[in-house]
């Protein structure tokens, strides 16, 4: 039996995720919704982590939160687990992912976004 965990620092984002998940699946069995700073509250290891990191905090554009998320995901992933990341193409997350995971493949991209996958 699989479980799905949602993490976000925003109570509003978690409430929205729960509402949408319930509307799509009809229940929240085996779904857990957590208000947390990145994965600091995660206790379970994962086979797959999906991540859409923020690239700005207030008026500052930075990749430090994304890098924190990539590092924490690496700690939480099981052996051969994957991290999938979507981000604005200009952020070039693949450089950071290659440094942390030693691999990164481009799954898809367009003029605005890129989706990357890295294997632990």
């Amino acid at each position: 039996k699989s479980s799905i965990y949602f993490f976000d620092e925003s109570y509003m984002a978690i409430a929205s995720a729960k509402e949408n998940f319930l509307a799509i699946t009809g229940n929240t069995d085996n779904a857990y919704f957590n208000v947390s700073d990145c994965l600091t509250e995660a206790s379970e290891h994962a086979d797959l982590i999906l991540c859409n990191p923020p690239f700005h905090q207030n008026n500052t554009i930075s990749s430090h939160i994304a890098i924190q998320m990539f590092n924490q995901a690496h700690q939480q992933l099981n052996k051969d687990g994957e991290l999938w990341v979507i981000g604005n193409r200009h952020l070039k997350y693949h450089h950071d992912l290659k440094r942390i995971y030693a691999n990164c493949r481009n799954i898809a991209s367009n003029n605005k976004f890129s989706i990357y996958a890295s294997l632990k």
Side-chain angles (χ1 to χ4, degrees):
K1 175 161 95 167
S2 296
S3 297
I4 186 167
Y5 294 83
F6 296 84
F7 293 91
D8 200 291
E9 69 177 1
S10 165
Y11 286 92
M12 190 180 305
I14 290 298
S16 177
K18 188 172 186 178
E19 183 178 315
N20 287 322
F21 189 85
L22 183 60
I24 292 167
T25 65
N27 67 63
T28 57
D29 297 347
N30 301 320
Y32 305 91
F33 301 87
N34 304 279
V35 176
S36 174
D37 177 28
C38 300
L39 293 174
T40 45
E41 301 297 320
S43 58
E44 300 291 326
H45 287 309
D47 294 317
L48 175 65
I49 295 176
L50 307 174
C51 182
N52 179 8
F55 63 93
H56 55 81
Q57 191 170 29
N58 299 322
N59 294 325
T60 304
I61 295 176
S62 172
S63 63
H64 79 280
I65 296 172
I67 293 169
Q68 176 185 350
M69 292 175 133
F70 302 161
N71 280 312
Q72 287 181 345
H74 191 270
Q75 293 171 352
Q76 293 302 126
L77 283 168
N78 291 320
K79 183 180 182 313
D80 296 325
E82 283 190 303
L83 170 65
W84 283 50
V85 176
I86 185 167
N88 292 70
R89 188 176 177 158
H90 72 277
L91 298 172
K92 302 183 190 308
Y93 285 144
H94 59 285
H95 296 297
D96 297 314
L97 290 166
K98 284 180 184 177
R99 191 172 73 267
I100 297 166
Y101 290 83
N103 67 80
C104 177
R105 65 187 192 280
N106 187 320
I107 301 300
S109 61
N110 61 24
N111 291 339
K112 196 169 182 182
F113 298 102
S114 291
I115 299 173
Y116 302 108
S118 293
L119 182 66
K120 180 174 181 182

